Structure formats: structure tokens, C-alpha cells
């Protein structure tokens, strides 16, 4: 019972046996107490307590799973598997997570992975029988997110591919509209300005997170030698 557990913990504490105290606390599901004793028992015991804590809670609480991956230095699992439209985390949160905790050498892959997931959702075939029930705004937002991620990752070919498909779709649609030529010209001009503005913002963004394009840097080094 509680009294026996308290007595065991007290005895372990008096003898300076923090490992026993930690194990007793975990056995009694006193997780916070276990972590506090682990702090006093050295790094090895603290590592054990952290892993045990994560193992018990990461499937129950999404933020614990995120914290576990941050501690492990494995953001790829989160970016690849976390919901991009979840109630707790969405794609913007994943983008912020990459910027905050991503290692320089992993940034390009992480941004590309997130961009690929957003593009897949934004361009997925519609299964709805009514165009009115399709979340067009959400699809456009994710397409913008994909472009942003690809630009930051330096994957310009994917950006051009998305914009080319978009231009082709709008051109096809506008062929059925009166004064289509003037409208299309105006749309293309607006898109060009929007793309230029987005690229400028991305350059500032990459400088802010100290992003280094590994491939471009290696080419520059080769040219300099």
C-alpha cells in the first residue's frame, strides 16, 4: 500500500540508493518522484528514468512524443508521421519545430519531407461528388506550405513543378471565361510578383535560421579550390 511504498522510498533515500528509489517510484507509478530521484543519482540513472518515462507516456500524450523525439534528436519521425491537420499539431507547428530543433545538416531533408507530405494532400484526387464540399482553401494553403518548404530546402525543381501545374490548371479553366486572355495575363503577372515576394521572404527566413545549403556549399568549396 501507500505506507509501505513510502517506507521503501525513505529507506532507499536514507541509504543513498537512488536507483532503488527510482525503481520503486516507477513501480508505484509515481513518475514525477522517479524523475526527481534520478536527477540526484547521476546522468546514467537520469537517462534510464527519461527513457522509462517516455516509454510510458509517449503513446498517451502527443507533446510527450514530440519531446521524446527532440531529446533523441530524431525529428524525421515526427515530420514523417505526425498529423499535418491535427488538433494538437498542424503543418505550421511542424515547420516551427524544424526551425527550432533541427540540426543544420538535417534541415534540407526535413523541409523536403514536410513539403512532400503537404504537396501530396494538396494535389490528391478529390473523392467528393460535390465540388462545394471540397476544402479548396485548405488545399491551397497546403500547396503554399509545400512551396515554402521546397524553397527553404533549395528544391527549386519541385517549386517549378507545382507552379507549372497550377498555371496549366488555371489556363485550362480560363479558356471557358470571357476575356480569358486579359484575365490570364493579369493572373500570370500576379503569380510572378507573388513568387518573387515569396522567394525574398524565404531568403530572409533561411538567414534567420542560419540555414546552410550543403550541396551549394560543397560546389562553392570545389570552385574556390
Amino acid at each position: 500500500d501507500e505506507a509501505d511504498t513510502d517506507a521503501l522510498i525513505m529507506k532507499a533515500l536514507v541509504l543513498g540508493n537512488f536507483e532503488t528509489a527510482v525503481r520503486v517510484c516507477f513501480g508505484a507509478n509515481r513518475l514525477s518522484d522517479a524523475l526527481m530521484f534520478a536527477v540526484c543519482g547521476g546522468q546514467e540513472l537520469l537517462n534510464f528514468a527519461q527513457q522509462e518515462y517516455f516509454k510510458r507516456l509517449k503513446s498517451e500524450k502527443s507533446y510527450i512524443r514530440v519531446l521524446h523525439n527532440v531529446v533523441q534528436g530524431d525529428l524525421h519521425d515526427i515530420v514523417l508521421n505526425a498529423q499535418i491537420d491535427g488538433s494538437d499539431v498542424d503543418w505550421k507547428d511542424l515547420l516551427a519545430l524544424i526551425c527550432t530543433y533541427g540540426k543544420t545538416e538535417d534541415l534540407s531533408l526535413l523541409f523536403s519531407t514536410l513539403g512532400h507530405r503537404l504537396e501530396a494532400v494538396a494535389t490528391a484526387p478529390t473523392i467528393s461528388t460535390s465540388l462545394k464540399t471540397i476544402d479548396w482553401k485548405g488545399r491551397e494553403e497546403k500547396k503554399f506550405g509545400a512551396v515554402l518548404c521546397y524553397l527553404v530546402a533549395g528544391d527549386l525543381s519541385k517549386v517549378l513543378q507545382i507552379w507549372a501545374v497550377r498555371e496549366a490548371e488555371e489556363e485550362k479553366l480560363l479558356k471557358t471565361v470571357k476575356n480569358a486572355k486579359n484575365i490570364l495575363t493579369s493572373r500570370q503577372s500576379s503569380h510572378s510578383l507573388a513568387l518573387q515576394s515569396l522567394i525574398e521572404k524565404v531568403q530572409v527566413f533561411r538567414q534567420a535560421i542560419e540555414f546552410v545549403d550543403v550541396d551549394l556549399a560543397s560546389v562553392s568549396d570545389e570552385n574556390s579550390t
Side-chain angles (χ1 to χ4, degrees):
D1 58 12
E2 290 291 320
D4 291 337
T5 299
D6 289 345
L8 288 173
I9 294 174
M10 177 61 75
K11 188 172 183 179
L13 176 59
V14 170
L15 296 175
N17 193 337
F18 294 110
E19 181 179 353
T20 297
V22 168
R23 293 185 181 277
V24 171
C25 287
F26 275 127
N29 204 35
R30 299 182 183 183
L31 305 188
S32 58
D33 290 348
L35 290 176
M36 288 303 298
F37 281 116
V39 170
C40 302
Q43 189 61 46
E44 185 176 348
L45 184 58
L46 180 58
N47 291 340
F48 163 77
Q50 280 184 339
Q51 293 307 313
E52 183 67 22
Y53 181 87
F54 288 138
K55 184 171 67 175
R56 295 185 181 213
L57 293 182
K58 67 179 182 180
S59 61
E60 299 178 12
K61 301 177 180 179
S62 59
Y63 63 85
I64 295 296
R65 180 188 171 193
V66 171
L67 178 61
H68 177 247
N69 282 271
V70 169
V71 172
Q72 295 293 105
D74 180 19
L75 296 186
H76 191 263
D77 174 63
I78 304 176
V79 174
L80 190 61
N81 298 304
Q83 295 184 16
I84 56 178
D85 260 337
S87 57
D88 296 327
V89 177
D90 62 16
W91 70 269
K92 296 175 184 176
D93 294 316
L94 294 177
L95 186 64
L97 194 71
I98 296 172
C99 297
T100 304
Y101 298 106
K103 299 176 182 177
T104 302
E105 61 271 21
D106 297 333
L107 289 179
S108 183
L109 176 60
L110 292 170
F111 284 126
S112 292
T113 300
L114 181 55
H116 178 74
R117 292 192 63 197
L118 290 169
E119 181 187 5
V121 173
T123 59
T126 57
I127 59 176
S128 175
T129 56
S130 174
L131 293 178
K132 293 182 179 180
T133 62
I134 299 175
D135 183 12
W136 294 109
K137 182 178 180 180
R139 289 169 70 93
E140 280 300 309
E141 181 186 67
K142 290 178 179 61
K143 189 177 294 184
F144 169 81
V147 170
L148 175 62
C149 289
Y150 287 140
L151 278 172
V152 177
D155 193 347
L156 298 183
S157 62
K158 294 294 293 183
V159 174
L160 293 176
Q161 180 181 337
I162 293 175
W163 279 73
V165 170
R166 179 175 180 176
E167 291 295 321
E169 291 175 347
E170 291 197 354
E171 183 175 1
K172 182 179 179 180
L173 180 63
L174 286 171
K175 285 182 178 179
T176 63
V177 179
K178 188 177 181 180
N179 297 324
K181 184 176 181 180
N182 293 334
I183 296 175
L184 182 60
T185 301
S186 176
R187 285 287 186 90
Q188 289 174 336
S189 176
S190 297
H191 287 165
S192 298
L193 291 174
L195 179 58
Q196 179 182 348
S197 176
L198 180 59
I199 291 175
E200 291 173 352
K201 292 176 181 177
V202 166
Q203 290 299 324
V204 175
F205 175 72
R206 293 176 76 170
Q207 291 177 5
I209 64 173
E210 298 182 352
F211 177 85
V212 177
D213 191 321
V214 178
D215 294 331
L216 185 60
S218 61
V219 171
S220 299
D221 292 340
E222 290 176 1
N223 292 336
S224 61
T225 55

Tab-separated table of all heavy atoms in Angstrom, residues 56-79:
chain	number	residue	atom	x	y	z
A	56	ARG	N	6.349	5.112	-21.144
A	56	ARG	CA	5.030	5.009	-20.532
A	56	ARG	C	4.031	6.035	-21.044
A	56	ARG	O	2.826	5.770	-21.078
A	56	ARG	CB	5.152	5.146	-19.012
A	56	ARG	CG	5.924	4.007	-18.363
A	56	ARG	CD	5.909	4.149	-16.873
A	56	ARG	NE	6.664	3.080	-16.205
A	56	ARG	CZ	6.355	2.569	-15.029
A	56	ARG	NH1	5.287	3.015	-14.381
A	56	ARG	NH2	7.081	1.621	-14.492
A	57	LEU	N	4.517	7.204	-21.425
A	57	LEU	CA	3.590	8.299	-21.713
A	57	LEU	C	3.522	8.749	-23.172
A	57	LEU	O	2.582	9.441	-23.555
A	57	LEU	CB	3.928	9.517	-20.847
A	57	LEU	CG	3.717	9.367	-19.341
A	57	LEU	CD1	4.053	10.673	-18.639
A	57	LEU	CD2	2.295	8.960	-19.027
A	58	LYS	N	4.513	8.390	-23.996
A	58	LYS	CA	4.546	8.963	-25.340
A	58	LYS	C	3.367	8.529	-26.215
A	58	LYS	O	2.993	9.232	-27.160
A	58	LYS	CB	5.867	8.645	-26.041
A	58	LYS	CG	6.080	7.180	-26.372
A	58	LYS	CD	7.423	7.000	-27.083
A	58	LYS	CE	7.656	5.548	-27.470
A	58	LYS	NZ	8.962	5.383	-28.161
A	59	SER	N	2.776	7.371	-25.900
A	59	SER	CA	1.618	6.928	-26.665
A	59	SER	C	0.327	7.566	-26.172
A	59	SER	O	-0.700	7.514	-26.852
A	59	SER	CB	1.498	5.400	-26.596
A	59	SER	OG	1.314	4.971	-25.258
A	60	GLU	N	0.366	8.168	-24.982
A	60	GLU	CA	-0.826	8.780	-24.405
A	60	GLU	C	-0.909	10.277	-24.677
A	60	GLU	O	-2.003	10.823	-24.836
A	60	GLU	CB	-0.849	8.554	-22.887
A	60	GLU	CG	-0.880	7.084	-22.471
A	60	GLU	CD	-0.855	6.921	-20.965
A	60	GLU	OE1	-1.042	7.946	-20.255
A	60	GLU	OE2	-0.630	5.803	-20.484
A	61	LYS	N	0.234	10.946	-24.723
A	61	LYS	CA	0.246	12.397	-24.874
A	61	LYS	C	1.143	12.784	-26.044
A	61	LYS	O	2.311	12.431	-26.087
A	61	LYS	CB	0.747	13.062	-23.587
A	61	LYS	CG	-0.109	12.734	-22.363
A	61	LYS	CD	0.456	13.355	-21.097
A	61	LYS	CE	-0.416	13.018	-19.892
A	61	LYS	NZ	0.110	13.594	-18.638
A	62	SER	N	0.577	13.529	-26.976
A	62	SER	CA	1.314	13.874	-28.191
A	62	SER	C	2.537	14.726	-27.892
A	62	SER	O	3.581	14.579	-28.532
A	62	SER	CB	0.388	14.601	-29.170
A	62	SER	OG	-0.146	15.785	-28.586
A	63	TYR	N	2.443	15.637	-26.920
A	63	TYR	CA	3.577	16.510	-26.629
A	63	TYR	C	4.743	15.737	-26.007
A	63	TYR	O	5.901	16.119	-26.156
A	63	TYR	CB	3.162	17.695	-25.756
A	63	TYR	CG	2.644	17.350	-24.384
A	63	TYR	CD1	3.510	17.149	-23.313
A	63	TYR	CD2	1.288	17.254	-24.139
A	63	TYR	CE1	3.037	16.849	-22.040
A	63	TYR	CE2	0.795	16.954	-22.879
A	63	TYR	CZ	1.672	16.749	-21.834
A	63	TYR	OH	1.206	16.447	-20.581
A	64	ILE	N	4.427	14.623	-25.301
A	64	ILE	CA	5.496	13.788	-24.750
A	64	ILE	C	6.231	13.069	-25.880
A	64	ILE	O	7.457	12.927	-25.857
A	64	ILE	CB	4.937	12.767	-23.744
A	64	ILE	CG1	4.365	13.495	-22.529
A	64	ILE	CG2	6.020	11.790	-23.302
A	64	ILE	CD1	5.394	14.268	-21.730
A	65	ARG	N	5.482	12.648	-26.890
A	65	ARG	CA	6.113	12.008	-28.047
A	65	ARG	C	7.039	12.988	-28.767
A	65	ARG	O	8.146	12.639	-29.168
A	65	ARG	CB	5.043	11.503	-29.014
A	65	ARG	CG	5.631	10.833	-30.252
A	65	ARG	CD	4.565	10.530	-31.274
A	65	ARG	NE	5.161	10.093	-32.540
A	65	ARG	CZ	4.497	10.006	-33.672
A	65	ARG	NH1	3.219	10.322	-33.710
A	65	ARG	NH2	5.095	9.607	-34.772
A	66	VAL	N	6.570	14.229	-28.915
A	66	VAL	CA	7.397	15.249	-29.553
A	66	VAL	C	8.657	15.501	-28.729
A	66	VAL	O	9.765	15.575	-29.260
A	66	VAL	CB	6.602	16.558	-29.738
A	66	VAL	CG1	7.526	17.679	-30.208
A	66	VAL	CG2	5.468	16.358	-30.730
A	67	LEU	N	8.484	15.631	-27.416
A	67	LEU	CA	9.628	15.857	-26.534
A	67	LEU	C	10.616	14.703	-26.617
A	67	LEU	O	11.830	14.921	-26.628
A	67	LEU	CB	9.144	16.037	-25.087
A	67	LEU	CG	10.229	16.244	-24.030
A	67	LEU	CD1	11.045	17.509	-24.331
A	67	LEU	CD2	9.610	16.335	-22.631
A	68	HIS	N	10.100	13.483	-26.684
A	68	HIS	CA	10.965	12.309	-26.793
A	68	HIS	C	11.825	12.382	-28.047
A	68	HIS	O	13.041	12.135	-28.016
A	68	HIS	CB	10.116	11.038	-26.806
A	68	HIS	CG	10.902	9.780	-26.983
A	68	HIS	ND1	10.805	8.988	-28.103
A	68	HIS	CD2	11.841	9.200	-26.194
A	68	HIS	CE1	11.626	7.957	-27.989
A	68	HIS	NE2	12.268	8.062	-26.850
A	69	ASN	N	11.211	12.737	-29.168
A	69	ASN	CA	11.966	12.834	-30.416
A	69	ASN	C	12.965	13.981	-30.382
A	69	ASN	O	14.052	13.871	-30.953
A	69	ASN	CB	11.003	13.003	-31.592
A	69	ASN	CG	10.354	11.712	-32.010
A	69	ASN	OD1	10.860	10.973	-32.833
A	69	ASN	ND2	9.210	11.415	-31.415
A	70	VAL	N	12.609	15.072	-29.724
A	70	VAL	CA	13.538	16.198	-29.597
A	70	VAL	C	14.759	15.781	-28.780
A	70	VAL	O	15.904	16.060	-29.151
A	70	VAL	CB	12.842	17.413	-28.945
A	70	VAL	CG1	13.872	18.479	-28.557
A	70	VAL	CG2	11.816	18.006	-29.899
A	71	VAL	N	14.511	15.099	-27.655
A	71	VAL	CA	15.606	14.633	-26.803
A	71	VAL	C	16.487	13.638	-27.546
A	71	VAL	O	17.720	13.658	-27.436
A	71	VAL	CB	15.051	13.992	-25.510
A	71	VAL	CG1	16.169	13.324	-24.714
A	71	VAL	CG2	14.367	15.053	-24.651
A	72	GLN	N	15.846	12.784	-28.348
A	72	GLN	CA	16.589	11.776	-29.113
A	72	GLN	C	17.277	12.374	-30.338
A	72	GLN	O	18.118	11.726	-30.961
A	72	GLN	CB	15.657	10.651	-29.572
A	72	GLN	CG	15.056	9.820	-28.443
A	72	GLN	CD	16.102	9.005	-27.718
A	72	GLN	OE1	16.489	9.337	-26.595
A	72	GLN	NE2	16.585	7.958	-28.337
A	73	GLY	N	16.904	13.599	-30.695
A	73	GLY	CA	17.473	14.221	-31.887
A	73	GLY	C	16.922	13.644	-33.170
A	73	GLY	O	17.554	13.707	-34.227
A	74	ASP	N	15.712	13.063	-33.106
A	74	ASP	CA	15.102	12.424	-34.269
A	74	ASP	C	13.816	13.144	-34.644
A	74	ASP	O	12.725	12.755	-34.235
A	74	ASP	CB	14.826	10.950	-33.973
A	74	ASP	CG	14.188	10.222	-35.158
A	74	ASP	OD1	14.297	10.738	-36.283
A	74	ASP	OD2	13.584	9.145	-34.943
A	75	LEU	N	13.941	14.217	-35.423
A	75	LEU	CA	12.761	14.956	-35.859
A	75	LEU	C	12.120	14.327	-37.088
A	75	LEU	O	10.960	14.597	-37.400
A	75	LEU	CB	13.135	16.407	-36.179
A	75	LEU	CG	13.642	17.263	-35.018
A	75	LEU	CD1	13.820	18.704	-35.485
A	75	LEU	CD2	12.707	17.215	-33.834
A	76	HIS	N	12.865	13.494	-37.780
A	76	HIS	CA	12.350	12.912	-39.021
A	76	HIS	C	11.099	12.078	-38.757
A	76	HIS	O	10.153	12.079	-39.551
A	76	HIS	CB	13.429	12.056	-39.684
A	76	HIS	CG	13.071	11.639	-41.089
A	76	HIS	ND1	12.512	10.423	-41.379
A	76	HIS	CD2	13.160	12.306	-42.273
A	76	HIS	CE1	12.299	10.333	-42.678
A	76	HIS	NE2	12.669	11.457	-43.244
A	77	ASP	N	11.068	11.365	-37.632
A	77	ASP	CA	9.910	10.541	-37.292
A	77	ASP	C	8.664	11.399	-37.119
A	77	ASP	O	7.573	11.044	-37.590
A	77	ASP	CB	10.187	9.754	-36.011
A	77	ASP	CG	8.973	8.984	-35.527
A	77	ASP	OD1	8.512	8.088	-36.261
A	77	ASP	OD2	8.477	9.279	-34.427
A	78	ILE	N	8.821	12.551	-36.469
A	78	ILE	CA	7.675	13.446	-36.260
A	78	ILE	C	7.211	14.032	-37.586
A	78	ILE	O	6.021	14.017	-37.909
A	78	ILE	CB	8.041	14.594	-35.299
A	78	ILE	CG1	8.553	14.046	-33.978
A	78	ILE	CG2	6.849	15.505	-35.068
A	78	ILE	CD1	9.013	15.117	-33.018
A	79	VAL	N	8.143	14.560	-38.364
A	79	VAL	CA	7.798	15.201	-39.631
A	79	VAL	C	7.142	14.214	-40.583
A	79	VAL	O	6.240	14.556	-41.345
A	79	VAL	CB	9.060	15.813	-40.269
A	79	VAL	CG1	8.751	16.360	-41.655
A	79	VAL	CG2	9.606	16.925	-39.392
